[in-house]
Amino acid sequence: MALIGVPFDGGTTYRPGPRFGPRNVRAQSAIIRPWNPVLHVNPFAKHRTADFGDLPVNPLSIEDTFVRIERGITPLLEAGVRCVCVGGDHSISLPILRAVAKKHGPVALIQFDAHNDLWDEYFGCKYSHGTPFRRAFEEGLLRDGDVLQVGLRGQVSGEDDFDFARTKSGW
């Protein structure tokens, strides 16, 4: 298993800062203990995990960053590595799914989030933190009916914000 940092938040519109996620995950795990007293397990006895470092993103271009993310993850997946990606804003999900689907075909997805990230556009842009799963469906990366979204809440832009999700999930 590889921990892969994706320090990119060029797809966010309101709360910048997710680019610092990988750094903070590493800081918080600096003195990690091997025993989990709640689960009664030592995950390190069962799985080998390596910190792969950060992918080289382009903070000025979401399109170039997507190419870099997909290019960075693909050889790891081809080698059979399980990738745990931490980052960045939700937009990074799209190139990650592109790389995964290239190896495994369309996949199922469980998303824990307040928003469904299925908008067609956000402020006129097709690629943002609010659109990755819409693009993933359009590109055939996700299996229809096999996406579970947990925790949806908060404000939406209009009464039709969930229409696309209903066509894909059978709500």
Side-chain angles (χ1 to χ4, degrees):
M1 188 175 325
L3 176 70
I4 302 167
V6 189
F8 180 76
D9 60 10
T12 192
T13 54
Y14 180 65
R15 292 186 179 151
R19 73 181 74 185
F20 303 115
R23 178 186 312 164
N24 287 305
V25 166
R26 291 180 181 108
Q28 295 304 312
S29 63
I31 307 178
I32 197 164
R33 308 285 192 303
W35 182 253
N36 184 307
V38 175
L39 300 176
H40 300 286
V41 66
N42 177 348
F44 302 105
K46 202 169 192 178
H47 300 285
R48 293 183 324 152
T49 304
D51 188 341
F52 185 77
D54 291 345
L55 294 177
V57 300
N58 178 342
L60 299 177
S61 171
I62 195 168
E63 292 85 0
D64 183 45
T65 290
F66 283 6
V67 170
R68 291 166 178 249
I69 293 169
E70 187 176 346
R71 188 183 312 142
I73 292 174
T74 296
L76 296 170
L77 294 170
E78 289 300 322
V81 175
R82 291 182 181 168
C83 300
V84 177
C85 300
V86 296
D89 68 57
H90 299 174
S91 70
I92 68 170
S93 302
L94 181 59
I96 293 167
L97 286 169
R98 286 174 177 163
V100 170
K102 197 183 301 181
K103 166 85 174 158
H104 300 286
V107 296
L109 173 76
I110 300 173
Q111 175 193 7
F112 294 88
D113 194 356
H115 308 99
N116 68 13
D117 299 339
L118 289 168
W119 292 334
D120 184 31
E121 293 182 353
Y122 198 61
F123 288 96
C125 296
K126 291 284 194 181
Y127 299 103
S128 77
H129 68 104
T131 65
F133 302 118
R134 175 73 163 255
R135 301 288 87 81
F137 272 118
E138 291 171 351
E139 295 178 22
L141 310 176
L142 297 173
R143 295 191 320 234
D144 284 0
D146 286 336
V147 172
L148 175 64
Q149 296 179 305
V150 180
L152 298 182
R153 62 191 181 285
Q155 299 175 341
V156 294
S157 297
E159 62 182 293
D160 60 347
D161 275 3
F162 295 109
D163 288 351
F164 181 81
R166 287 182 185 99
T167 68
K168 296 298 179 182
S169 67
W171 280 8

